[in-house]
Short mmCIF file of all heavy atoms in Angstrom, two decimals:
data_model
loop_
_atom_site.label_atom_id
_atom_site.label_comp_id
_atom_site.label_asym_id
_atom_site.label_seq_id
_atom_site.Cartn_x
_atom_site.Cartn_y
_atom_site.Cartn_z
N MET N 858 -18.34 10.24 -24.17
CA MET N 858 -19.14 10.70 -23.02
C MET N 858 -20.49 9.91 -22.97
O MET N 858 -20.85 9.41 -21.88
CB MET N 858 -19.53 12.13 -23.21
CG MET N 858 -20.19 12.75 -21.95
SD MET N 858 -19.22 12.57 -20.47
CE MET N 858 -20.47 12.95 -19.24
N LEU N 859 -21.08 9.72 -24.05
CA LEU N 859 -22.31 8.87 -24.12
C LEU N 859 -22.00 7.50 -23.68
O LEU N 859 -22.74 6.88 -22.85
CB LEU N 859 -23.01 8.88 -25.51
CG LEU N 859 -24.24 8.00 -25.64
CD1 LEU N 859 -25.31 8.35 -24.74
CD2 LEU N 859 -24.71 7.93 -27.02
N ARG N 860 -20.84 6.91 -24.20
CA ARG N 860 -20.50 5.57 -23.82
C ARG N 860 -20.18 5.48 -22.36
O ARG N 860 -20.43 4.50 -21.73
CB ARG N 860 -19.30 5.16 -24.65
CG ARG N 860 -18.99 3.66 -24.62
CD ARG N 860 -17.83 3.35 -25.53
NE ARG N 860 -16.58 3.80 -25.03
CZ ARG N 860 -15.39 3.55 -25.54
NH1 ARG N 860 -15.35 2.79 -26.65
NH2 ARG N 860 -14.37 4.02 -25.03
N TYR N 861 -19.64 6.61 -21.75
CA TYR N 861 -19.30 6.54 -20.28
C TYR N 861 -20.63 6.39 -19.58
O TYR N 861 -20.73 5.63 -18.71
CB TYR N 861 -18.61 7.87 -19.92
CG TYR N 861 -18.45 8.03 -18.46
CD1 TYR N 861 -17.39 7.49 -17.83
CD2 TYR N 861 -19.42 8.70 -17.71
CE1 TYR N 861 -17.16 7.64 -16.43
CE2 TYR N 861 -19.29 8.75 -16.33
CZ TYR N 861 -18.18 8.24 -15.71
OH TYR N 861 -17.99 8.39 -14.35
N LEU N 862 -21.66 7.21 -20.00
CA LEU N 862 -22.90 7.05 -19.25
C LEU N 862 -23.54 5.71 -19.45
O LEU N 862 -24.14 5.23 -18.54
CB LEU N 862 -23.86 8.18 -19.80
CG LEU N 862 -23.42 9.65 -19.46
CD1 LEU N 862 -24.31 10.63 -20.13
CD2 LEU N 862 -23.52 9.79 -17.93
N LEU N 863 -23.48 5.16 -20.64
CA LEU N 863 -24.02 3.78 -20.84
C LEU N 863 -23.39 2.79 -20.01
O LEU N 863 -24.01 1.88 -19.35
CB LEU N 863 -23.81 3.37 -22.37
CG LEU N 863 -24.75 4.20 -23.31
CD1 LEU N 863 -24.26 3.79 -24.81
CD2 LEU N 863 -26.17 3.87 -23.16
N ALA N 864 -22.03 2.95 -19.85
CA ALA N 864 -21.29 2.05 -18.98
C ALA N 864 -21.62 2.34 -17.46
O ALA N 864 -21.85 1.38 -16.69
CB ALA N 864 -19.81 2.23 -19.20
N ARG N 865 -21.67 3.54 -17.10
CA ARG N 865 -21.92 3.95 -15.71
C ARG N 865 -23.24 3.40 -15.17
O ARG N 865 -23.30 2.92 -14.04
CB ARG N 865 -21.83 5.52 -15.60
CG ARG N 865 -22.09 5.97 -14.22
CD ARG N 865 -20.95 5.65 -13.22
NE ARG N 865 -21.28 6.13 -11.89
CZ ARG N 865 -22.05 5.45 -11.10
NH1 ARG N 865 -22.62 4.31 -11.40
NH2 ARG N 865 -22.25 5.87 -9.86
N PHE N 866 -24.21 3.41 -16.03
CA PHE N 866 -25.52 2.94 -15.62
C PHE N 866 -25.90 1.65 -16.13
O PHE N 866 -27.01 1.20 -16.13
CB PHE N 866 -26.59 4.06 -15.98
CG PHE N 866 -26.42 5.36 -15.29
CD1 PHE N 866 -25.90 6.44 -15.92
CD2 PHE N 866 -26.72 5.45 -13.94
CE1 PHE N 866 -25.60 7.62 -15.26
CE2 PHE N 866 -26.56 6.65 -13.31
CZ PHE N 866 -25.99 7.71 -13.94
N ARG N 867 -24.80 0.91 -16.62
CA ARG N 867 -24.99 -0.46 -17.10
C ARG N 867 -26.07 -0.69 -18.14
O ARG N 867 -26.79 -1.65 -18.13
CB ARG N 867 -25.21 -1.33 -15.86
CG ARG N 867 -24.12 -1.27 -14.84
CD ARG N 867 -24.26 -2.37 -13.76
NE ARG N 867 -24.35 -3.76 -14.29
CZ ARG N 867 -23.21 -4.34 -14.71
NH1 ARG N 867 -21.98 -3.76 -14.65
NH2 ARG N 867 -23.30 -5.60 -15.21
N LEU N 868 -26.22 0.32 -18.99
CA LEU N 868 -27.22 0.21 -20.08
C LEU N 868 -26.72 -0.55 -21.28
O LEU N 868 -27.53 -1.03 -22.08
CB LEU N 868 -27.70 1.68 -20.49
CG LEU N 868 -28.26 2.46 -19.42
CD1 LEU N 868 -28.49 3.89 -19.87
CD2 LEU N 868 -29.58 1.87 -18.88
N SER N 869 -25.44 -0.71 -21.39
CA SER N 869 -24.85 -1.30 -22.59
C SER N 869 -23.69 -2.24 -22.11
O SER N 869 -22.73 -1.69 -21.64
CB SER N 869 -24.39 -0.35 -23.61
OG SER N 869 -23.55 -0.95 -24.59
N GLN N 870 -23.83 -3.53 -22.41
CA GLN N 870 -22.72 -4.42 -21.97
C GLN N 870 -21.44 -4.11 -22.80
O GLN N 870 -20.40 -4.03 -22.24
CB GLN N 870 -23.11 -5.84 -22.30
CG GLN N 870 -22.04 -6.90 -21.93
CD GLN N 870 -21.81 -6.86 -20.42
OE1 GLN N 870 -22.76 -7.01 -19.64
NE2 GLN N 870 -20.58 -6.59 -20.00
N ARG N 871 -21.62 -3.71 -24.10
CA ARG N 871 -20.40 -3.43 -24.89
C ARG N 871 -19.78 -2.13 -24.37
O ARG N 871 -18.57 -2.07 -24.36
CB ARG N 871 -20.83 -3.29 -26.32
CG ARG N 871 -19.61 -3.20 -27.24
CD ARG N 871 -19.81 -3.43 -28.66
NE ARG N 871 -20.53 -2.32 -29.24
CZ ARG N 871 -20.96 -2.26 -30.58
NH1 ARG N 871 -20.65 -3.26 -31.33
NH2 ARG N 871 -21.53 -1.16 -31.00
N ALA N 872 -20.64 -1.13 -23.94
CA ALA N 872 -20.01 0.07 -23.38
C ALA N 872 -19.29 -0.25 -22.07
O ALA N 872 -18.22 0.32 -21.83
CB ALA N 872 -21.12 1.10 -23.12
N ILE N 873 -19.81 -1.12 -21.22
CA ILE N 873 -19.12 -1.48 -19.97
C ILE N 873 -17.72 -2.01 -20.40
O ILE N 873 -16.76 -1.68 -19.72
CB ILE N 873 -19.94 -2.48 -19.22
CG1 ILE N 873 -21.23 -1.86 -18.66
CG2 ILE N 873 -19.13 -3.16 -18.10
CD1 ILE N 873 -22.21 -2.88 -18.13
N CYS N 874 -17.68 -2.97 -21.22
CA CYS N 874 -16.40 -3.59 -21.56
C CYS N 874 -15.49 -2.56 -22.24
O CYS N 874 -14.23 -2.54 -21.86
CB CYS N 874 -16.61 -4.79 -22.57
SG CYS N 874 -17.43 -6.14 -21.81
N GLU N 875 -15.92 -1.79 -23.13
CA GLU N 875 -15.08 -0.80 -23.90
C GLU N 875 -14.58 0.29 -22.97
O GLU N 875 -13.38 0.69 -22.95
CB GLU N 875 -15.80 -0.22 -25.01
CG GLU N 875 -16.06 -1.23 -26.17
CD GLU N 875 -16.76 -0.64 -27.33
OE1 GLU N 875 -17.20 0.50 -27.33
OE2 GLU N 875 -16.84 -1.34 -28.36
N GLU N 876 -15.45 0.79 -22.10
CA GLU N 876 -15.00 1.83 -21.14
C GLU N 876 -14.15 1.33 -20.08
O GLU N 876 -13.35 2.06 -19.47
CB GLU N 876 -16.26 2.55 -20.48
CG GLU N 876 -16.89 3.58 -21.39
CD GLU N 876 -15.99 4.78 -21.60
OE1 GLU N 876 -15.57 5.31 -20.63
OE2 GLU N 876 -15.86 5.14 -22.80
N SER N 877 -14.18 0.02 -19.69
CA SER N 877 -13.40 -0.57 -18.67
C SER N 877 -11.96 -0.85 -19.27
O SER N 877 -11.04 -1.05 -18.44
CB SER N 877 -14.01 -1.84 -18.17
OG SER N 877 -15.25 -1.54 -17.53
N ALA N 878 -11.88 -1.02 -20.50
CA ALA N 878 -10.49 -1.36 -21.10
C ALA N 878 -9.57 -0.30 -20.80
O ALA N 878 -9.81 0.84 -20.91
CB ALA N 878 -10.71 -1.53 -22.57
N GLY N 879 -8.40 -0.71 -20.26
CA GLY N 879 -7.34 0.23 -19.89
C GLY N 879 -7.44 0.85 -18.46
O GLY N 879 -6.58 1.46 -18.03
N ARG N 880 -8.57 0.45 -17.80
CA ARG N 880 -8.72 0.94 -16.45
C ARG N 880 -8.11 -0.02 -15.43
O ARG N 880 -7.91 -1.26 -15.77
CB ARG N 880 -10.17 1.18 -16.08
CG ARG N 880 -10.84 2.43 -16.75
CD ARG N 880 -12.30 2.54 -16.57
NE ARG N 880 -12.85 3.68 -17.18
CZ ARG N 880 -13.05 4.82 -16.49
NH1 ARG N 880 -12.69 4.93 -15.25
NH2 ARG N 880 -13.52 5.91 -17.15
N GLY N 881 -7.87 0.46 -14.22
CA GLY N 881 -7.25 -0.41 -13.20
C GLY N 881 -8.26 -1.40 -12.62
O GLY N 881 -9.46 -1.25 -12.92
N LEU N 882 -7.79 -2.30 -11.83
CA LEU N 882 -8.70 -3.33 -11.19
C LEU N 882 -9.77 -2.69 -10.43
O LEU N 882 -10.94 -3.18 -10.47
CB LEU N 882 -7.88 -4.24 -10.30
CG LEU N 882 -7.03 -5.24 -10.99
CD1 LEU N 882 -6.27 -5.99 -9.78
CD2 LEU N 882 -7.80 -6.22 -11.76
N GLY N 883 -9.55 -1.61 -9.69
CA GLY N 883 -10.56 -1.03 -8.81
C GLY N 883 -11.31 0.16 -9.49
O GLY N 883 -12.08 0.77 -8.77
N ASP N 884 -10.93 0.45 -10.71
CA ASP N 884 -11.59 1.53 -11.46
C ASP N 884 -12.16 1.06 -12.72
O ASP N 884 -11.69 1.28 -13.84
CB ASP N 884 -10.49 2.59 -11.63
CG ASP N 884 -11.04 3.82 -12.43
OD1 ASP N 884 -12.25 4.06 -12.27
OD2 ASP N 884 -10.40 4.45 -13.18
N ASP N 885 -13.27 0.32 -12.53
CA ASP N 885 -13.80 -0.51 -13.63
C ASP N 885 -15.32 -0.58 -13.60
O ASP N 885 -15.90 -0.50 -12.54
CB ASP N 885 -13.29 -1.99 -13.43
CG ASP N 885 -13.41 -2.80 -14.63
OD1 ASP N 885 -14.53 -3.05 -15.08
OD2 ASP N 885 -12.32 -3.28 -15.18
N PHE N 886 -15.91 -0.66 -14.73
CA PHE N 886 -17.44 -0.58 -14.74
C PHE N 886 -18.08 -2.04 -14.69
O PHE N 886 -19.20 -2.20 -14.54
CB PHE N 886 -17.88 0.05 -16.06
CG PHE N 886 -17.59 1.55 -16.10
CD1 PHE N 886 -16.58 1.95 -16.88
CD2 PHE N 886 -18.29 2.40 -15.31
CE1 PHE N 886 -16.27 3.31 -16.94
CE2 PHE N 886 -17.99 3.79 -15.39
CZ PHE N 886 -16.97 4.23 -16.14
N HIS N 887 -17.23 -2.97 -14.78
CA HIS N 887 -17.68 -4.38 -14.70
C HIS N 887 -18.33 -4.61 -13.31
O HIS N 887 -17.94 -3.98 -12.28
CB HIS N 887 -16.60 -5.41 -14.93
CG HIS N 887 -16.18 -5.49 -16.37
ND1 HIS N 887 -14.96 -4.91 -16.79
CD2 HIS N 887 -16.74 -6.04 -17.40
CE1 HIS N 887 -14.84 -5.22 -18.08
NE2 HIS N 887 -15.90 -5.77 -18.43
N ASP N 888 -19.27 -5.55 -13.20
CA ASP N 888 -19.76 -6.02 -11.91
C ASP N 888 -20.00 -7.49 -12.03
O ASP N 888 -19.82 -8.04 -13.11
CB ASP N 888 -21.13 -5.26 -11.64
CG ASP N 888 -21.38 -5.21 -10.13
OD1 ASP N 888 -20.63 -5.89 -9.41
OD2 ASP N 888 -22.32 -4.54 -9.66
N TYR N 889 -20.30 -8.15 -10.88
CA TYR N 889 -20.26 -9.61 -10.88
C TYR N 889 -21.23 -10.31 -11.82
O TYR N 889 -20.92 -11.43 -12.22
CB TYR N 889 -20.55 -10.09 -9.39
CG TYR N 889 -21.87 -9.81 -8.81
CD1 TYR N 889 -22.91 -10.72 -9.06
CD2 TYR N 889 -22.09 -8.76 -7.95
CE1 TYR N 889 -24.19 -10.45 -8.54
CE2 TYR N 889 -23.28 -8.45 -7.54
CZ TYR N 889 -24.38 -9.33 -7.81
OH TYR N 889 -25.59 -9.08 -7.27
N PRO N 890 -22.39 -9.63 -12.24
CA PRO N 890 -23.14 -10.35 -13.31
C PRO N 890 -22.38 -10.58 -14.63
O PRO N 890 -22.87 -11.31 -15.40
CB PRO N 890 -24.34 -9.44 -13.48
CG PRO N 890 -24.38 -8.66 -12.16
CD PRO N 890 -23.05 -8.42 -11.77
N ASP N 891 -21.27 -9.83 -14.74
CA ASP N 891 -20.56 -10.02 -15.96
C ASP N 891 -19.60 -11.23 -15.96
O ASP N 891 -18.92 -11.54 -17.00
CB ASP N 891 -19.60 -8.77 -16.16
CG ASP N 891 -20.39 -7.50 -16.34
OD1 ASP N 891 -21.52 -7.59 -16.94
OD2 ASP N 891 -20.03 -6.55 -15.85
N THR N 892 -19.51 -11.93 -14.76
CA THR N 892 -18.64 -13.10 -14.75
C THR N 892 -19.40 -14.31 -15.10
O THR N 892 -20.64 -14.37 -15.24
CB THR N 892 -18.11 -13.26 -13.21
OG1 THR N 892 -19.31 -13.54 -12.40
CG2 THR N 892 -17.38 -12.09 -12.74
N ALA N 893 -18.62 -15.46 -15.36
CA ALA N 893 -19.24 -16.64 -15.79
C ALA N 893 -20.22 -17.29 -14.81
O ALA N 893 -21.30 -17.76 -15.08
CB ALA N 893 -18.16 -17.68 -16.20
N ASP N 894 -19.81 -17.20 -13.51
CA ASP N 894 -20.64 -17.82 -12.45
C ASP N 894 -21.55 -16.85 -11.78
O ASP N 894 -22.46 -17.29 -11.03
CB ASP N 894 -19.71 -18.60 -11.42
CG ASP N 894 -18.77 -17.67 -10.82
OD1 ASP N 894 -18.80 -16.45 -11.01
OD2 ASP N 894 -17.88 -18.14 -10.05
N GLY N 895 -21.37 -15.57 -11.99
CA GLY N 895 -22.31 -14.54 -11.46
C GLY N 895 -22.39 -14.46 -9.94
O GLY N 895 -23.29 -13.92 -9.44
N GLN N 896 -21.26 -14.91 -9.32
CA GLN N 896 -21.19 -14.75 -7.87
C GLN N 896 -20.58 -13.52 -7.39
O GLN N 896 -19.46 -13.15 -8.01
CB GLN N 896 -20.50 -15.94 -7.28
CG GLN N 896 -21.19 -17.34 -7.58
CD GLN N 896 -22.55 -17.44 -6.90
OE1 GLN N 896 -22.83 -17.05 -5.81
NE2 GLN N 896 -23.53 -17.70 -7.84
N PRO N 897 -21.03 -12.81 -6.38
CA PRO N 897 -20.52 -11.54 -5.97
C PRO N 897 -19.34 -11.64 -4.99
O PRO N 897 -19.38 -11.10 -3.96
CB PRO N 897 -21.71 -10.89 -5.38
CG PRO N 897 -22.52 -11.92 -4.71
CD PRO N 897 -22.38 -13.05 -5.66
N TRP N 898 -18.30 -12.26 -5.55
CA TRP N 898 -17.09 -12.38 -4.55
C TRP N 898 -16.40 -11.09 -4.54
O TRP N 898 -16.16 -10.42 -5.61
CB TRP N 898 -16.14 -13.43 -5.19
CG TRP N 898 -16.80 -14.79 -5.35
CD1 TRP N 898 -16.90 -15.50 -6.45
CD2 TRP N 898 -17.19 -15.65 -4.31
NE1 TRP N 898 -17.46 -16.64 -6.28
CE2 TRP N 898 -17.68 -16.91 -4.96
CE3 TRP N 898 -17.28 -15.60 -2.88
CZ2 TRP N 898 -18.21 -17.85 -4.13
CZ3 TRP N 898 -17.87 -16.62 -2.19
CH2 TRP N 898 -18.22 -17.80 -2.82
N HIS N 899 -15.97 -10.74 -3.38
CA HIS N 899 -15.15 -9.42 -3.21
C HIS N 899 -13.75 -9.77 -3.00
O HIS N 899 -13.39 -10.83 -2.44
CB HIS N 899 -15.75 -8.68 -2.00
CG HIS N 899 -17.00 -7.94 -2.40
ND1 HIS N 899 -17.10 -6.59 -2.73
CD2 HIS N 899 -18.28 -8.38 -2.46
CE1 HIS N 899 -18.35 -6.24 -2.94
NE2 HIS N 899 -19.11 -7.28 -2.68
N LEU N 900 -12.87 -8.83 -3.36
CA LEU N 900 -11.46 -8.85 -3.10
C LEU N 900 -10.80 -10.10 -3.73
O LEU N 900 -9.78 -10.52 -3.31
CB LEU N 900 -11.18 -8.91 -1.57
CG LEU N 900 -11.75 -7.72 -0.80
CD1 LEU N 900 -11.52 -7.86 0.66
CD2 LEU N 900 -11.18 -6.39 -1.34
N VAL N 901 -11.40 -10.55 -4.82
CA VAL N 901 -10.69 -11.59 -5.65
C VAL N 901 -10.79 -11.14 -7.07
O VAL N 901 -11.64 -10.36 -7.41
CB VAL N 901 -11.26 -13.06 -5.53
CG1 VAL N 901 -11.23 -13.48 -4.04
CG2 VAL N 901 -12.77 -12.98 -5.99
N ASP N 902 -9.93 -11.68 -7.86
CA ASP N 902 -9.89 -11.25 -9.32
C ASP N 902 -11.08 -11.98 -10.01
O ASP N 902 -11.18 -13.27 -9.96
CB ASP N 902 -8.61 -11.70 -10.00
CG ASP N 902 -7.48 -10.77 -9.54
OD1 ASP N 902 -7.71 -9.77 -8.81
OD2 ASP N 902 -6.33 -11.12 -9.86
N LEU N 903 -11.97 -11.26 -10.60
CA LEU N 903 -13.03 -11.75 -11.37
C LEU N 903 -12.75 -11.53 -12.91
O LEU N 903 -12.05 -10.66 -13.23
CB LEU N 903 -14.35 -11.04 -11.03
CG LEU N 903 -14.80 -11.13 -9.59
CD1 LEU N 903 -15.95 -10.22 -9.32
CD2 LEU N 903 -15.05 -12.61 -9.17
N THR N 904 -13.38 -12.39 -13.76
CA THR N 904 -13.02 -12.26 -15.17
C THR N 904 -14.35 -12.06 -15.91
O THR N 904 -15.35 -12.76 -15.73
CB THR N 904 -12.38 -13.59 -15.67
OG1 THR N 904 -11.16 -13.73 -14.95
CG2 THR N 904 -12.10 -13.42 -17.14
N CYS N 905 -14.38 -10.98 -16.78
CA CYS N 905 -15.58 -10.75 -17.50
C CYS N 905 -15.81 -11.86 -18.58
O CYS N 905 -14.85 -12.21 -19.25
CB CYS N 905 -15.41 -9.43 -18.24
SG CYS N 905 -16.86 -9.08 -19.36
N ARG N 906 -17.05 -12.43 -18.62
CA ARG N 906 -17.28 -13.51 -19.59
C ARG N 906 -17.49 -13.02 -20.99
O ARG N 906 -17.63 -13.70 -21.92
CB ARG N 906 -18.55 -14.27 -19.14
CG ARG N 906 -19.82 -13.45 -19.03
CD ARG N 906 -20.94 -14.33 -18.41
NE ARG N 906 -22.01 -13.53 -17.89
CZ ARG N 906 -23.06 -13.11 -18.60
NH1 ARG N 906 -23.21 -13.60 -19.83
NH2 ARG N 906 -24.02 -12.45 -18.08
N HIS N 907 -17.51 -11.59 -21.15
CA HIS N 907 -17.79 -10.98 -22.45
C HIS N 907 -16.43 -10.63 -23.11
O HIS N 907 -16.27 -10.92 -24.24
CB HIS N 907 -18.68 -9.74 -22.40
CG HIS N 907 -19.98 -10.02 -21.73
ND1 HIS N 907 -20.97 -10.71 -22.34
CD2 HIS N 907 -20.48 -9.76 -20.46
CE1 HIS N 907 -22.06 -10.77 -21.51
NE2 HIS N 907 -21.73 -10.27 -20.32
N CYS N 908 -15.57 -9.94 -22.31
CA CYS N 908 -14.30 -9.45 -22.98
C CYS N 908 -13.15 -10.12 -22.34
O CYS N 908 -12.05 -9.91 -22.80
CB CYS N 908 -14.28 -7.90 -22.78
SG CYS N 908 -14.06 -7.35 -21.12
N GLY N 909 -13.30 -10.85 -21.29
CA GLY N 909 -12.05 -11.50 -20.65
C GLY N 909 -11.25 -10.54 -19.70
O GLY N 909 -10.22 -11.07 -19.17
N LYS N 910 -11.69 -9.34 -19.47
CA LYS N 910 -10.86 -8.50 -18.66
C LYS N 910 -10.98 -8.88 -17.14
O LYS N 910 -12.07 -9.32 -16.76
CB LYS N 910 -11.39 -7.03 -18.86
CG LYS N 910 -10.49 -6.07 -18.02
CD LYS N 910 -11.09 -4.62 -18.23
CE LYS N 910 -10.05 -3.61 -17.61
NZ LYS N 910 -9.94 -3.75 -16.12
N THR N 911 -9.92 -8.77 -16.43
CA THR N 911 -9.87 -9.09 -15.05
C THR N 911 -10.28 -7.78 -14.22
O THR N 911 -9.84 -6.71 -14.60
CB THR N 911 -8.53 -9.50 -14.59
OG1 THR N 911 -8.19 -10.71 -15.28
CG2 THR N 911 -8.52 -9.76 -13.11
N PHE N 912 -11.16 -7.99 -13.24
CA PHE N 912 -11.61 -6.71 -12.50
C PHE N 912 -11.95 -7.23 -11.02
O PHE N 912 -11.92 -8.45 -10.72
CB PHE N 912 -12.80 -6.14 -13.12
CG PHE N 912 -14.09 -7.02 -13.17
CD1 PHE N 912 -15.06 -6.84 -12.16
CD2 PHE N 912 -14.25 -7.89 -14.14
CE1 PHE N 912 -16.20 -7.62 -12.29
CE2 PHE N 912 -15.35 -8.71 -14.21
CZ PHE N 912 -16.36 -8.57 -13.24
N ARG N 913 -12.07 -6.27 -10.19
CA ARG N 913 -12.59 -6.61 -8.81
C ARG N 913 -13.75 -5.72 -8.43
O ARG N 913 -13.89 -4.61 -8.98
CB ARG N 913 -11.37 -6.31 -7.84
CG ARG N 913 -10.23 -7.30 -7.98
CD ARG N 913 -9.16 -7.04 -6.96
NE ARG N 913 -8.02 -7.98 -7.21
CZ ARG N 913 -6.89 -8.00 -6.37
NH1 ARG N 913 -6.87 -7.20 -5.40
NH2 ARG N 913 -5.97 -8.88 -6.68
N ILE N 914 -14.49 -6.17 -7.48
CA ILE N 914 -15.58 -5.32 -6.96
C ILE N 914 -15.49 -5.13 -5.53
O ILE N 914 -14.61 -5.85 -4.87
CB ILE N 914 -16.99 -5.97 -7.28
CG1 ILE N 914 -17.07 -7.41 -6.64
CG2 ILE N 914 -17.23 -6.07 -8.85
CD1 ILE N 914 -18.40 -8.05 -6.90
ZN1 ZN K 456 -16.15 -7.13 -20.21
#
């Protein structure tokens, strides 16, 4: 629960990655600053530069 809140409010990068693991593309705590290029592309697959998970925003 604490980790969920940390991820929800982007207080912990590790919580974001851990809470996002196992979630679907559209149900994910990652956001575009987590990508290598940091561009806010929508409707394309983005990859987290920390954990490598694919997500969309
Ligand atoms: Zn991640």
Side-chain angles (χ1 to χ4, degrees):
M858 188 59 192
L859 175 60
R860 195 175 69 176
Y861 173 88
L862 292 173
L863 289 173
R865 179 67 184 82
F866 296 103
R867 302 189 57 78
L868 297 174
S869 164
Q870 181 64 57
R871 191 164 72 178
I873 290 169
C874 292
E875 290 180 355
E876 279 293 307
S877 296
R880 288 176 178 266
L882 284 177
D884 181 28
D885 196 297
F886 293 106
H887 288 104
D888 205 349
Y889 67 86
D891 300 323
T892 64
D894 58 6
Q896 296 300 309
W898 303 117
H899 283 261
L900 304 177
V901 300
D902 289 351
L903 301 173
T904 302
C905 176
R906 61 189 162 90
H907 304 286
C908 69
K910 187 179 187 296
T911 299
F912 65 98
R913 292 184 183 182
I914 58 176

